[in-house]
Amino acid sequence: MAQDDENVLFVPFGGEAPDPESFLTLVLDGWERQQRAKDFSPSTIRTRRHVVLSLVDFSGRYPWQWTLGDADDFFSHARAVRNLSHGTVRSYQGAVKLFCDYACSPHYDWCEQSAKLFGQVFAQVVTELNRVTHAQPTEARPAKRPFSQRELQELFDLADLEVVRILDSGRKGALAAWRDAIAFKTAYGWGLRSDELRHLQVADFSRNGKAPFLGDHGVLRVRWGKPHRGSAKKVRSVLTVWEWSAEMVADWIRNGLPRYGHPVTDLFPTSAGKIVGESHLIGRLHDLVDELGFPPGLDLHSFRRSYATHLVTGEGFDVAFVQLQLGHEHAATTSIYTLPSPDYQRLALERVHERIINAALELRERKH
C-alpha cells in the first residue's frame, strides 16, 4: 500500500531504517560537516564530538532521549568528581549546546526523523538554568602573574650571561642560548603569545612612518594571533613601543640569524631548520627563573602579562591602545591588567583632573 509522502521516512542505509547507534553517527557526521562549513578546526570538531559521546556514555541515553537532569548530572560530575576547571566545564556545555542547536534546527530534519524512528525528538538540554556563568572576562588562573620590572631586568641579564658562560666553557649551545634570550625579550617587547612568538619571520617587521627612529622594526605584523571560535588565525599589527626592542631585534637579524646559514626566514629557527619549540622555551625559562629564585607564578605568558601591565600602569598608555596592541576582542579582557597596580586608579584620576584644569585655564585665557 502506498504511503503519503509526508509519512515516508528518509533512510540513508540502503532502504533500511538505521538503528540508534547508526542514527547517532549520521547526526554527528552531519554536525561535523556543518562545523567544517563554518571553518572550525578539525581538532575543535573532534573535541566537541567527544564531549557529546561522553554525555551519551555517562547518561546511558541517546541525544533524542536527553533531559535537563542528564545534563545537570554530567556537568556536576565533571566539576565535583572529576575536578575539571570552571572553564573546561563551560566549554563542555558549549559543545553540547551547539550540538543540540544543530539537531533541533528546523533547517535540518533530525527531529522529524528521530520522531518517526524512535518516537522522541531532540531538545536543548543546556539552558540559562544550568549553564555555568561566564563571570570573569578571562580564564587566567590567579596563581599566574606578570614579572616585575626588576625581575624582568634580572632575567634578561641572566639570559645574556648564559651565552657568555657557554662560550667561556667551550660547550655547544651558545647560539641557541642567544636565540632564546632574544625570544624572551621579543615576547615582552611586543606582548606576544607563545605561538605568535615562535612563528615570527623576519619579513613580519616593517617601518613606522611616524617613528623613523625605530628603523625597519617600527611595526610587527603578527600572523598567528589567537583565533576566535574556530576561525582562522587572527592577524594584527603591533606598534613598537620601546626603542631598545627595535635595536635588539635588528642586532639579532644582522648578527645572529646569519649563523644559521642562508636563507633564514624564521626569526627563531633551530639548527634542524624548524622553529623553536614551545616546550624548549618553557624549560629554558624555568631554568632561569629557578636559578634566580623568583616566587612562583611565572610562565611564558607572563611576558605578555608584563607588557600589558607595564604599559597601562607604568607607562600610562590608554587601555584602548593596549587592547589593540594585544589583539583583545573586549576591553574588559585588557582591563584586568590594571589590577596589579594599587596606584592605577589614583593616577588615572589625576590625569583626568589635570586635563580638566588645563582645559579650564585655556578657556579663561581665551576670554581675556
Side-chain angles (χ1 to χ4, degrees), residues 20-49:
E21 288 289 342
S22 300
F23 183 67
L24 175 58
T25 300
L26 185 65
V27 178
L28 288 171
D29 289 346
W31 186 39
E32 179 175 334
R33 290 191 295 273
Q34 183 235 26
Q35 291 181 91
R36 287 205 303 267
K38 296 176 69 174
D39 200 29
F40 284 107
S41 68
S43 60
T44 297
I45 296 172
R46 284 194 302 270
T47 299
R48 289 174 175 172
R49 184 172 182 139

Side-chain angles (χ1 to χ4, degrees), residues 1-305:
M1 180 180 293
Q3 293 178 303
D4 295 335
D5 288 343
E6 64 179 10
N7 295 323
V8 176
L9 173 67
F10 168 74
V11 288
F13 296 110
E16 295 182 1
D19 57 66
E21 288 289 342
S22 300
F23 183 67
L24 175 58
T25 300
L26 185 65
V27 178
L28 288 171
D29 289 346
W31 186 39
E32 179 175 334
R33 290 191 295 273
Q34 183 235 26
Q35 291 181 91
R36 287 205 303 267
K38 296 176 69 174
D39 200 29
F40 284 107
S41 68
S43 60
T44 297
I45 296 172
R46 284 194 302 270
T47 299
R48 289 174 175 172
R49 184 172 182 139
H50 174 73
V51 171
V52 171
L53 292 174
S54 295
L55 178 49
V56 170
D57 292 338
F58 179 87
S59 65
R61 299 171 184 266
Y62 291 104
W64 52 91
Q65 301 171 324
W66 284 345
T67 65
L68 282 173
D70 294 325
D72 291 346
D73 291 341
F74 177 64
F75 299 131
S76 296
H77 182 270
R79 192 76 175 99
V81 178
R82 297 178 61 193
N83 199 30
L84 298 181
S85 71
H86 177 283
T88 299
V89 173
R90 198 176 69 249
S91 71
Y92 281 13
Q93 292 181 332
V96 173
K97 184 179 186 302
L98 287 174
F99 172 76
C100 292
D101 284 343
Y102 166 77
C104 295
S105 172
H107 298 290
Y108 303 92
D109 63 350
W110 298 120
C111 277
E112 182 182 353
Q113 291 196 50
S114 66
K116 292 178 178 180
L117 282 170
F118 313 113
Q120 294 174 294
V121 297
F122 294 90
Q124 180 57 262
V125 295
V126 179
T127 71
E128 295 304 317
L129 296 174
N130 62 359
R131 193 167 192 184
V132 174
T133 303
H134 191 173
Q136 298 293 333
T138 177
E139 290 301 318
R141 288 170 288 176
K144 299 302 181 180
R145 64 179 182 87
F147 291 92
S148 67
Q149 290 281 12
R150 179 188 59 80
E151 287 175 333
L152 272 176
Q153 189 60 60
E154 291 183 6
L155 178 77
F156 292 158
D157 289 345
L158 181 59
D160 292 339
L161 177 61
E162 179 65 9
V163 179
V164 177
R165 292 193 298 199
I166 293 175
L167 289 173
D168 289 345
S169 68
R171 294 182 287 116
K172 295 182 179 180
L175 182 58
W178 186 8
R179 176 203 61 206
D180 296 344
I182 300 299
F184 295 148
K185 295 173 186 177
T186 302
Y188 172 68
W190 284 270
L192 303 177
R193 300 180 179 94
S194 174
D195 269 359
E196 296 172 349
L197 172 72
R198 297 188 308 110
H199 287 89
L200 288 181
Q201 294 186 341
V202 176
D204 292 332
F205 286 98
S206 60
R207 298 180 68 86
N208 180 353
K210 300 295 184 180
F213 57 90
L214 296 174
D216 294 330
H217 305 93
V219 181
L220 174 61
R221 184 170 180 264
V222 178
R223 296 173 294 106
W224 279 71
K226 186 177 180 180
H228 178 62
R229 295 180 182 175
S231 63
K233 297 292 185 182
K234 191 187 301 183
V235 179
R236 73 179 187 279
S237 292
V238 182
L239 301 181
T240 303
V241 174
W242 297 300
E243 190 170 358
W244 67 262
S245 58
E247 294 173 351
M248 173 266 302
V249 166
D251 179 66
W252 168 247
I253 293 174
R254 183 173 55 252
N255 299 311
L257 278 183
R259 299 172 185 269
Y260 283 98
H262 294 280
V264 177
T265 57
D266 294 314
L267 193 62
F268 302 114
T270 67
S271 56
K274 300 179 180 179
I275 62 173
V276 64
E278 182 177 29
S279 59
H280 170 82
L281 291 177
I282 291 173
R284 190 74 202 96
L285 178 61
H286 284 172
D287 290 342
L288 296 173
V289 168
D290 288 345
E291 183 173 345
L292 290 166
F294 289 162
L298 299 170
D299 56 14
L300 277 179
H301 204 74
S302 291
F303 291 116
R304 181 174 166 86
R305 297 186 191 99

